[in-house]
């Protein structure tokens, strides 16, 4: 697990983040995302309270871009942003002292800041079982819409907190349309690389992502799900 911690300090830290991210910072620890003005995903992260600070726990591959965007939005806000060399441990067994529960889903266990380690949990199996997307696997910058990725179900968006970047598009998807596409769990026979297109009778169904134990996560059109779908020779069926 390669994570980067961004520490946000200063008297405006809460209001600063509150106007940018999808969740209510006052409820931290929480899971949230930052979006484009068009409502597309840029990065997801955990926001964790610390003494006189809020910590942003983000995939290290997105950390530089996230820091740049936060700095761009800072303007006159009285906040300071620092990248910390802080290890993160996680597991699904008994939680150690000072660990926090992962706010997305109980199956994701706990996280502990300031210590490194893994307890051997099969994270892909857990994510496939519970339809939990992962950064740069199912969550693709400038492409994913968070409601299609399950953010509402996984406590990653708050529709009562007020405005944030991309809020208008997200609210419209919530209240004015029925989701036609989104994350689904499928049964898979055979193997295919993540990113492989899924088809059925010559029509595009979606894209294959994480696979574990004969099942897979995929971003699909719900109205095209059917038995006997294909992904580069692997058979896919709805997981009912």
């Amino acid at each position: 697990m390669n994570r980067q911690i961004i520490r946000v300090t200063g008297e405006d830290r809460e209001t600063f983040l509150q106007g940018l991210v999808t969740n209510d910072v006052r409820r931290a620890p929480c899971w949230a995302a930052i979006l484009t003005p068009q409502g597309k995903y840029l990065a997801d992260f955990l926001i964790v309270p610390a003494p006189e600070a809020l910590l942003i726990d983000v995939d290290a591959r997105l950390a530089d871009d996230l820091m740049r965007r936060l700095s761009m939005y800072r303007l006159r806000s009285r906040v300071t942003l620092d990248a910390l060399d802080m290890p993160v441990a996680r597991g699904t067994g008994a939680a150690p002292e000072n660990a926090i529960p992962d706010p997305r889903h109980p199956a994701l266990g706990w996280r502990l800041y300031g210590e490194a380690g893994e307890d051997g949990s099969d994270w892909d199996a857990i994510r496939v079982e519970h339809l939990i997307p992962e950064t740069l696997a199912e969550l693709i910058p400038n492409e994913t819409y968070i409601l299609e990725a399950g953010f509402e179900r996984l406590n990653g968006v708050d529709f009562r907190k007020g405005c944030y970047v991309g809020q208008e598009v997200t609210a419209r998807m919530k209240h004015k349309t029925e989701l036609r596409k989104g994350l689904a769990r499928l049964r898979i026979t055979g193997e295919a690389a993540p990113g492989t297109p899924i088809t059925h009778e010559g029509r595009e169904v979606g894209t294959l992502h994480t696979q574990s134990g004969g099942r897979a996560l995929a971003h699909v059109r719900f109205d095209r799900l059917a038995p006997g779908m294909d992904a580069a020779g692997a058979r896919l069926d709805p997981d009912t």
Side-chain angles (χ1 to χ4, degrees), residues 18 41 93 106 140 187 211:
Q18 189 79 333
Y41 163 93
I140 310 301
R187 287 182 284 119
Q211 300 154 60

Side-chain angles (χ1 to χ4, degrees), residues 154-172:
L154 296 167
N155 310 308
V157 58
D158 189 304
F159 291 101
R160 299 165 304 204
K161 58 159 282 187
C163 293
Y164 54 89
V165 178
Q167 180 264 344
E168 184 177 351
V169 174
T170 305
R172 189 182 310 128

Side-chain angles (χ1 to χ4, degrees), residues 37-200:
Q38 296 75 33
K40 292 186 177 182
Y41 163 93
L42 288 171
D44 66 295
F45 35 81
L46 299 184
I47 300 175
V48 181
E52 302 301 318
L54 290 168
L55 305 181
I56 298 176
D57 172 1
V58 64
D59 188 299
R61 294 168 292 179
L62 299 184
D64 287 347
D65 185 68
L66 179 59
M67 177 69 91
R68 180 182 64 81
R69 292 180 185 277
L70 293 175
S71 298
M72 178 182 67
Y73 282 119
R74 184 172 52 183
L75 300 176
R76 295 183 180 179
S77 297
R78 289 164 292 187
V79 297
T80 301
L81 305 170
D82 298 296
L84 301 185
D85 184 16
M86 178 183 288
V88 183
R90 63 175 176 171
T92 56
E97 186 177 0
N98 297 322
I100 65 162
D102 193 303
R104 291 171 289 178
H105 194 284
L108 290 173
W110 50 265
R111 294 169 98 85
L112 180 63
Y113 295 90
E115 296 186 21
E118 296 269 354
D119 69 351
S121 296
D122 188 337
W123 299 105
D124 281 350
I126 292 170
R127 293 197 308 101
V128 171
E129 171 69 25
H130 297 285
L131 277 174
I132 299 170
E134 179 65 29
T135 307
L136 298 178
E138 292 77 31
L139 297 171
I140 310 301
N142 294 297
E143 181 177 321
T144 300
Y145 288 102
I146 61 169
L147 297 190
E148 293 182 355
F151 265 66
E152 183 176 10
R153 174 175 51 84
L154 296 167
N155 310 308
V157 58
D158 189 304
F159 291 101
R160 299 165 304 204
K161 58 159 282 187
C163 293
Y164 54 89
V165 178
Q167 180 264 344
E168 184 177 351
V169 174
T170 305
R172 189 182 310 128
M173 290 182 70
K174 163 69 173 175
H175 296 295
K176 295 187 177 181
T177 64
E178 180 179 352
L179 291 180
R180 299 179 180 179
K181 297 185 292 184
L183 200 62
R185 185 179 56 242
L186 307 175
R187 287 182 284 119
I188 184 168
T189 304
E191 296 182 359
T196 299
I198 301 170
T199 61
H200 184 253

